[in-house]
Amino acid sequence: MSQRSYGDGCGTALALDVVGERWALHVVRELVFGPKRFRDLRNALPNASQNVLSQRLRELEDEGVVRRVEFGPPVSAWAYELTDSGRALEPVLIELARWGAGRATLDGAEMSTDAFMLLLKVFYRPPAPETRRWRSGWSWASTRSTSRRRRPG
């Protein structure tokens, strides 16, 4: 948790104590689609200073939202990935992005690849499954049963 806290037992306040610092949710967003090295995070978040990014990663790691992992051979490098707790934030990010997409945009503001991929998730609506009718039944000696149901797909 960051040095600052809302000091409130409300779930929203407790969540913001963990991911409410500047750049924290951006880091989570960048890791939604898989692990990244620090350099890749820096490239994806060019307006975040290296010190702030390092601090956010440490805080998120301390809170169990991200973890540091080592990529095995042939490339031996360290990266960050979301924990199960961090992955649980994806639907929150999608809804927050949906809400934010309806707001005024910043002219000339760039978007990282992962931010764009999240935006695709925001606006993608799978088609509703068509409803099919089906009939099943059985008979045994002189007893007979038939049922009709509507079933998606």
Side-chain angles (χ1 to χ4, degrees):
M1 187 180 318
S2 69
Q3 298 287 357
R4 297 185 292 186
S5 172
Y6 288 97
D8 188 327
C10 165
T12 303
L14 294 171
L16 289 173
D17 283 345
V18 176
V19 294
E21 289 290 334
R22 190 170 184 180
W23 299 108
L25 280 175
H26 287 80
V27 169
V28 173
R29 178 197 69 200
E30 291 301 318
L31 297 175
V32 161
F33 297 102
K36 286 190 175 176
R37 295 175 294 182
F38 182 83
R39 180 179 66 218
D40 298 327
L41 289 168
R42 279 282 290 136
N43 290 338
L45 303 169
N47 294 324
S49 73
Q50 184 170 336
N51 289 342
V52 168
L53 184 56
S54 294
Q55 184 176 347
R56 289 303 162 265
L57 284 165
R58 272 192 306 276
E59 291 168 354
L60 291 170
E61 193 173 4
D62 290 346
E63 289 293 331
V65 176
V66 302
R67 71 176 146 247
R68 200 165 172 238
V69 294
E70 186 174 11
F71 284 153
V75 178
S76 188
W78 288 94
Y80 294 90
E81 68 180 4
L82 293 176
T83 62
D84 289 341
S85 175
R87 280 191 293 281
L89 289 167
E90 183 178 359
V92 175
L93 282 172
I94 289 172
E95 289 307 315
L96 189 60
R98 182 172 286 126
W99 180 80
R103 319 233 355 126
T105 60
L106 297 172
D107 289 335
E110 293 187 15
M111 187 180 296
S112 73
T113 303
D114 285 352
F116 182 72
M117 289 172 58
L118 187 70
L119 194 61
L120 291 176
K121 280 188 159 200
V122 165
F123 290 113
Y124 176 70
R125 297 275 194 247
E130 64 180 73
T131 303
R132 294 185 186 161
R133 295 175 191 261
W134 60 280
R135 180 186 292 186
S136 68
W138 56 271
S139 65
W140 188 353
S142 63
T143 308
R144 184 175 246 185
S145 171
T146 304
S147 65
R148 295 179 185 187
R149 297 182 183 189
R150 295 185 81 123
R151 180 176 143 191

